[in-house]
Amino acid sequence: MITARYHRETPQRYRLEAGKCSGCARISFPPRLVCPSCGGRKFETVKLSEEGTILTYTVVRVASDKFSRETPFAVAIVELNDGVRITAQLADVDPGEVRTGQKVRMVFRKLQEDGKSGILCYGYKAVVT
Amino acid sequence: MRDVVVIGAGMTRFGELWGQSIKDIFVEAALDAIRDAGVDHIDSMYVGAMSSGLFVGQEHLGAVMADYLGVTPVPATRVESACASGGAAFRQAYLEVASGASEIVLAGGVEKMTDGADVTDVLATAADQEYEVYQGITFPGLYALIARAHMEKYGTTREQLAAVAVKNHRNGSKNSHAQFRSEVTAEQVMKSTMVADPLRLLDCSPVSDGGAAVIVASMDVAKALKKNPVRVLASAQASDTIALHGRKDPTTIGSIVTAAQKAYRMADKKPSDINFAEVHDCFTIAEIVATEDLGFFEKGKGGEAAAGGATSIECKKIPVNTSGGLKSKGHPVGATGVAQIIELYEQLNGRSGDRQVAGARLGLAQNMGGSGASCVIHILEGK
């Protein structure tokens, strides 16, 4: 992955920065240029809640080549306490122990390695609290 | 807009077509459709393909296929809407004839998935690359998220998911173009390899090569050729958030609901008027959700309906995926939407042999892309 592409996502991946619409207060993650609720174009940067709840989950057992060494791993849709939903891998847990409704906290972790000589790719994962 | 009809259809067998290139596959299907229609020329053509660039390193498919089909200099355009590319290509052909711009248009679709690409990675490009795929999610994984939510909200069971696969394999066993012409039992489905909990290998459509094409024409052309026309009563399309997590309710696919409403309104029909349907069963749960969101069954009752036989060919309710669906017929992504139209065309002409739906007059095809960010629905009417 070219570093410029990686770098432009770091505010949201590293710090959970989102865009709060100045018109209707809807929070978009990742930030966007147009609010999907009201069409507004003005946003203030806010940080997402780090706490949330698992809405649904799966355990990926067959992954793409990039993730095949990581299987099995759990991935969930998490609803954060500010109402924003995100897709996140679950860390530090036996995938068999994951359940809908569990409370989670977002943490900073390594997600991918870009081949043998490329960059290491970081971002958020969720841990069950 | 004027009446538009389908007057010919052709497709390759779906499966692992090691001996054929993407060009061979498309041209075989297109020639078959042109022969079936009995036309001596086409005015333009559309090629539905999801990701020929990543699968075989070839873009610019419109021109490639026009060249190899020997029809240059007709206008030729590739249409891409992920797994709904075929349905979207058919819709472009429909709109071109309906507008009066052309009289005879070929709508085709093709995918060559077995030439060595990391298929899981390529298919994942239909999801949000930076905010879903970055976390390692796969397409079976996304539909597993839907399945889990559906099971927990509505009590849909593992057995009900398996019933979809069993029924579609039974239908596919009667289809000479199907990739898998073998029946499976519920037990085999539920003991197959886990791919993404709760979805197992036999809940998933396969990796396939294949091509499909139809000839779309004006009613005047159909009359001149003395063809038995199958009319396109409705063509509707809708979009939704690219990421599954962006939707209010993961158990409903909003683009299906919206496109269905538009299609029923355009055709002046209601769900109970439809005699049979081809729906996008990329995974067993997708058929259950689609049959609910199309209005065939109450929300949450799709699993029960499938297990109860309400979607089988013999039933009086609504036969679904008489072709075997993506599950058994195969899912060469770009070809799928066109192949659905072909099943409608064959059924409405009474040419479906052992899997013929008695009295089939109105058929619906529902083709979707990604986890439902695109949906294309067509309603066709025979005599």
Side-chain angles (χ1 to χ4, degrees):
Chain A
M1 189 183 298
I2 193 158
T3 48
R5 176 178 173 181
Y6 179 75
H7 186 70
R8 74 175 84 100
E9 303 295 331
T10 53
Q12 38 275 18
R13 284 199 186 130
Y14 283 29
R15 298 191 294 278
L16 294 175
E17 285 186 12
K20 184 173 181 180
C21 176
S22 306
C24 73
R26 174 179 168 145
I27 302 173
S28 286
F29 181 83
R32 318 174 156 223
L33 298 176
V34 182
C35 174
S37 291
C38 73
R41 304 279 291 270
K42 277 193 188 159
F43 295 87
E44 91 178 272
T45 299
V46 295
K47 195 178 151 305
L48 292 181
S49 167
E50 290 180 18
E51 315 282 331
T53 309
I54 293 178
L55 286 185
T56 180
Y57 69 95
T58 183
V59 180
V60 175
R61 292 171 193 275
V62 179
S64 63
D65 292 351
K66 215 182 289 173
F67 287 91
S68 60
R69 281 192 310 167
E70 314 289 329
T71 57
F73 57 90
V75 181
I77 294 180
V78 172
E79 183 167 285
L80 299 171
N81 289 350
D82 46 26
V84 173
R85 293 179 180 184
I86 59 176
T87 299
Q89 252 192 60
L90 277 292
D92 305 346
V93 66
D94 174 350
E97 301 294 312
V98 175
R99 295 288 179 268
T100 300
Q102 281 173 333
K103 301 292 178 194
V104 297
R105 184 167 43 84
M106 305 311 293
V107 293
F108 182 72
R109 291 294 163 90
K110 190 178 88 176
L111 265 302
Q112 301 179 26
E113 288 174 22
D114 189 13
K116 285 192 176 122
S117 54
I119 57 175
L120 300 177
C121 304
Y122 294 85
Y124 50 84
K125 287 189 186 180
V127 293
V128 177
T129 53
Chain B
M1 292 200 289
R2 62 179 177 163
D3 280 348
V4 175
V5 296
V6 178
I7 58 168
M11 64 186 283
T12 65
R13 183 164 182 183
F14 284 0
E16 295 177 343
L17 309 179
W18 301 109
Q20 289 176 283
S21 72
I22 189 169
K23 296 168 190 157
D24 299 333
I25 293 168
F26 184 87
V27 170
E28 179 186 322
L31 288 175
D32 198 17
I34 289 168
R35 179 197 48 74
D36 186 47
V39 293
D40 59 6
H41 74 285
I42 55 173
D43 297 328
S44 92
M45 60 185 272
Y46 291 92
V47 181
M50 176 191 164
S51 197
S52 55
L54 292 173
F55 281 127
V56 298
Q58 179 72 63
E59 308 287 17
H60 206 178
L61 276 200
V64 169
M65 298 311 178
D67 183 7
Y68 278 77
L69 186 58
V71 297
T72 54
V74 304
T77 309
R78 171 185 168 180
V79 179
E80 189 272 317
S81 241
C83 316
S85 299
F90 178 75
R91 180 169 153 78
Q92 293 309 306
Y94 162 82
L95 292 171
E96 185 167 325
V97 174
S99 72
S102 289
E103 292 296 319
I104 306 171
V105 180
L106 184 143
V110 67
E111 213 76 59
K112 176 77 192 172
M113 299 173 72
T114 63
D115 263 1
D118 176 0
V119 174
T120 303
D121 191 48
V122 176
L123 293 177
T125 62
D128 187 323
Q129 189 62 231
E130 307 290 9
Y131 291 91
E132 291 184 301
V133 185
Y134 188 76
Q135 292 282 334
I137 196 77
T138 59
F139 254 93
L142 287 167
Y143 278 89
L145 292 172
I146 295 174
R148 172 91 54 204
H150 204 278
M151 292 165 99
E152 294 190 351
K153 184 169 180 181
Y154 296 113
T156 300
T157 65
R158 201 29 280 191
E159 288 75 14
Q160 291 169 351
L161 293 174
V164 173
V166 171
K167 183 259 300 171
N168 288 352
H169 272 262
R170 187 165 64 237
N171 294 349
S173 72
K174 299 169 184 161
N175 183 349
S176 61
H177 289 97
Q179 179 163 1
F180 299 131
R181 300 193 58 191
S182 51
E183 297 201 33
V184 296
T185 64
E187 194 187 1
Q188 284 173 314
V189 178
M190 291 189 289
K191 282 189 173 166
S192 60
T193 307
M194 190 68 91
V195 175
D197 307 33
L199 299 181
R200 293 173 179 273
L201 186 63
L202 289 177
D203 289 299
C204 307
S205 57
V207 172
S208 320
D209 303 327
V214 294
I215 304 296
V216 179
S218 65
M219 190 62 93
D220 293 342
V221 169
K223 280 180 181 157
L225 289 168
K226 296 190 169 55
K227 296 295 291 187
N228 198 13
V230 166
R231 263 181 75 204
V232 183
L233 285 194
S235 174
Q237 186 169 349
S239 58
D240 201 348
T241 63
I242 190 71
L244 179 62
H245 62 233
R247 317 213 186 122
K248 279 197 186 78
D249 178 1
T251 66
T252 288
I253 295 177
S255 65
I256 302 181
V257 176
T258 308
Q261 284 168 352
K262 287 163 75 176
Y264 291 134
R265 199 180 317 128
M266 188 173 175
D268 194 21
K269 301 288 177 194
K270 47 190 192 303
S272 58
D273 294 329
I274 305 295
N275 301 129
F276 67 103
E278 287 287 298
V279 309
H280 197 95
D281 61 323
C282 46
F283 300 93
T284 49
I285 184 63
E287 177 166 321
I288 289 173
V289 171
T291 53
E292 295 167 353
D293 291 344
L294 288 166
F296 297 145
F297 305 111
E298 192 186 321
K299 192 68 205 169
K301 301 284 188 197
E304 201 179 302
T311 53
S312 70
I313 290 177
E314 303 75 26
C315 77
K316 294 284 182 286
K317 178 74 179 163
I318 174 88
V320 172
N321 285 329
T322 57
S323 68
L326 285 55
K327 175 71 206 77
S328 163
K329 182 178 54 186
H331 182 28
V333 265
T336 282
V338 180
Q340 291 180 325
I341 298 293
I342 293 178
E343 181 67 9
L344 264 50
Y345 178 75
E346 299 290 341
Q347 286 280 0
L348 294 171
N349 271 314
R351 303 201 300 202
S352 296
D354 290 348
R355 58 181 206 285
Q356 181 66 43
V357 174
R361 208 180 64 79
L362 266 187
L364 179 148
Q366 176 265 331
N367 184 205
M368 67 183 162
S371 58
S374 292
C375 181
V376 188
I377 294 178
H378 288 95
I379 298 175
L380 272 59
E381 182 185 49
K383 279 200 171 169

